[in-house]
Amino acid sequence: MIQTVTLIPGDGIGPAITDEVVRILDSAGAPIEWERHDAGLTAVENGHDLLPQETLDSIERNRFCLKGPLTTPIGAGFRSINVALRKHFDLYANVRPAESIVPGGRYKDIDIVIVRENTEGLYAGIEHYIGMRQDPRAVAESVMLITRYGSDRICRYAFEYAIEHKRKKVTLVHKANILKNTQGLFLEVGREVAKNYADAIEFEDRIVDATAMQLVLDPYQFDVIVTENMFGDILSDLTAGLVGGLGFAPGVNIGKDVAIFEAVHGSAPDIAGKGVANPSALLLAACLMLEHMGQKETAARIRGALKTVIHDGDTVTADLGGSASTTAFSDAVIEQIATGA
Ligand code: NAI
């Protein structure tokens, strides 16, 4: 069955890498019909809103969206378009797998998934200044919002993900030793949820600072990590670093009805238009999307071809030490898909 997917090419290098990803998925026979819509700087340049209503309607209708990186113009009225999208569709889970692809790194065969709560914590954006004497900004205060509801749904999501992906362990990461109410509630709810899965999935909890050190010293002890918003933001960049950096970091923001797949990197204005961007992270995001749709075999073929091209090293982009263009790199992946088929 053909699935319609909303495609937001995005800004900067976004259109170039989305074009290549579409070409690669087509070559692999992925049963997808694309519905292109603007957002971000490109939308504004085309005379639309930053987040046009047609784009939102399309995502709502199709439920799947593949999104290139978006530039939020300074003074746009909100902090980030990505945050606005998460809020609009209540995309409460941010899932970021970190899997070794680049050869020659410090570690081989890393395979860790971070499940980050996406709507609460310090990133709920509840902050203000308090004036004192002559200084209107003498104090800045921010609220760490943790709810039982939000903690419950993200922990359940992590366990369900672990079961569906045949994972063995969920580690809940927190700072409940210091933030006894907020982080304490997250831990308390996580422990309750874990009881429902005790027969199938091992559960442990760890303090965030110790986790950061252990991820660097011995990452193999981790499988699925579930954590609140800010810790997830930081730790998922750390795990991306373990497998070669943001060039290989895909992510998905998931809500009850909608899933938006994206590369973790930004619009790279410094190399936009030069034809040298690496499409790998967005391609890996597209593979996550195919898996989510049940197209696991197609996703595996594409991922296998990408790995082969990177390991061969002859036709890779500059960020991977090569000199190939975005198009030449994608051609090599397409050729590999055809050979492997
Ligand atoms: P960035 O990720 O765009 O760039 C950081 C560095 O990595 C640059 O040197 C860039 O050339 C390089 N790079 C990034 N992606 C690459 C790729 N695919 N291939 C080769 N090199 C690549 O981060 P930066 O410069 O902080 O942000 C630029 C813009 O992107 C900002 O407007 C920011 O708001 C936006 N952004 C959007 C995101 C999204 O839509 N998910 C995420 C992060 C930033």
Side-chain angles (χ1 to χ4, degrees):
M1 213 180 80
I2 292 185
Q3 173 80 47
T4 308
V5 171
T6 303
L7 180 71
I8 302 178
D11 301 311
I13 60 170
I17 58 175
T18 43
D19 278 354
E20 297 304 339
V21 168
V22 166
R23 210 158 63 84
I24 294 169
L25 261 63
D26 284 352
S27 84
I32 293 177
E33 194 173 283
W34 303 98
E35 207 173 275
R36 280 175 191 258
H37 283 279
D38 283 346
L41 202 56
T42 311
V44 173
E45 283 165 3
N46 289 338
H48 302 128
D49 291 342
L50 264 178
L51 255 181
Q53 190 59 44
E54 307 89 81
T55 306
L56 295 174
D57 291 345
S58 168
I59 297 173
E60 192 158 340
R61 205 169 43 242
N62 298 326
R63 302 171 69 138
F64 287 96
C65 172
L66 182 66
K67 184 181 82 58
L70 296 174
T71 303
T72 306
I74 292 165
F78 41 76
R79 273 180 303 164
S80 144
I81 308 179
N82 294 308
V83 173
L85 270 173
R86 281 176 210 162
K87 284 202 168 150
H88 184 88
F89 291 111
D90 192 20
L91 305 174
Y92 66 90
N94 178 239
V95 183
R96 279 182 52 180
E99 197 191 338
S100 299
I101 292 190
V102 199
R106 180 184 292 241
Y107 293 110
K108 282 185 188 158
D109 303 326
I110 300 278
D111 186 7
I112 300 169
V113 178
I114 304 235
V115 176
R116 160 189 171 192
E117 204 292 322
N118 224 3
T119 59
E120 302 191 341
L122 283 171
Y123 293 9
I126 308 168
E127 56 177 5
H128 55 260
Y129 293 112
I130 301 169
M132 281 182 189
R133 297 193 183 91
Q134 303 305 320
D135 185 356
R137 297 193 295 147
V139 177
E141 193 173 54
S142 182
V143 175
M144 176 178 272
L145 181 81
I146 301 281
T147 67
R148 188 178 293 282
Y149 171 74
S151 306
D152 184 81
R153 71 175 175 173
I154 194 68
C155 290
R156 272 181 207 283
Y157 182 88
F159 278 98
E160 291 294 331
Y161 179 98
I163 286 178
E164 196 190 326
H165 293 84
K166 302 192 172 32
R167 299 278 176 160
K168 295 194 164 44
K169 183 165 86 170
V170 170
T171 303
L172 182 147
V173 175
H174 61 89
K175 190 71 184 173
N177 53 329
I178 303 291
L179 301 168
K180 294 189 193 305
N181 291 8
T182 47
Q183 294 291 312
L185 179 60
F186 189 75
L187 175 59
E188 176 194 317
V189 173
R191 283 180 172 155
E192 277 306 309
V193 170
K195 285 181 192 162
N196 301 311
Y197 298 88
D199 293 344
I201 304 286
E202 188 190 334
F203 174 73
E204 63 172 6
D205 71 85
R206 293 195 189 209
I207 292 170
V208 63
D209 37 352
T211 304
M213 183 180 71
Q214 287 301 325
L215 274 169
V216 173
L217 289 179
D218 179 16
Y220 301 108
Q221 49 187 311
F222 296 97
D223 189 352
V224 175
I225 290 176
V226 62
T227 189
E228 61 89 43
N229 209 338
M230 186 165 71
F231 297 159
D233 190 11
I234 297 167
L235 291 182
S236 57
D237 269 27
L238 192 161
T239 52
L242 291 176
V243 299
L246 293 186
F248 292 99
V252 51
N253 295 298
I254 297 188
K256 197 163 66 63
D257 302 315
V258 162
I260 300 184
F261 298 80
E262 63 183 349
V264 169
H265 63 70
S267 53
D270 53 332
I271 56 166
K274 295 186 177 160
V276 296
N278 177 2
S280 298
L282 192 66
L283 185 59
L284 290 169
C287 289
L288 291 181
M289 183 175 77
L290 287 169
E291 283 170 355
H292 208 73
M293 290 170 177
Q295 297 286 332
K296 293 191 173 145
E297 183 273 332
T298 313
R301 270 193 297 126
I302 297 173
R303 211 180 262 127
L306 177 68
K307 279 186 187 173
T308 305
V309 170
I310 290 167
H311 279 256
D312 288 350
D314 299 330
T315 326
V316 292
T317 44
D319 58 311
L320 300 175
S323 58
S325 66
T326 309
T327 309
F329 180 88
S330 307
D331 284 345
V333 176
I334 289 170
E335 205 179 302
Q336 195 55 46
I337 291 171
T339 317

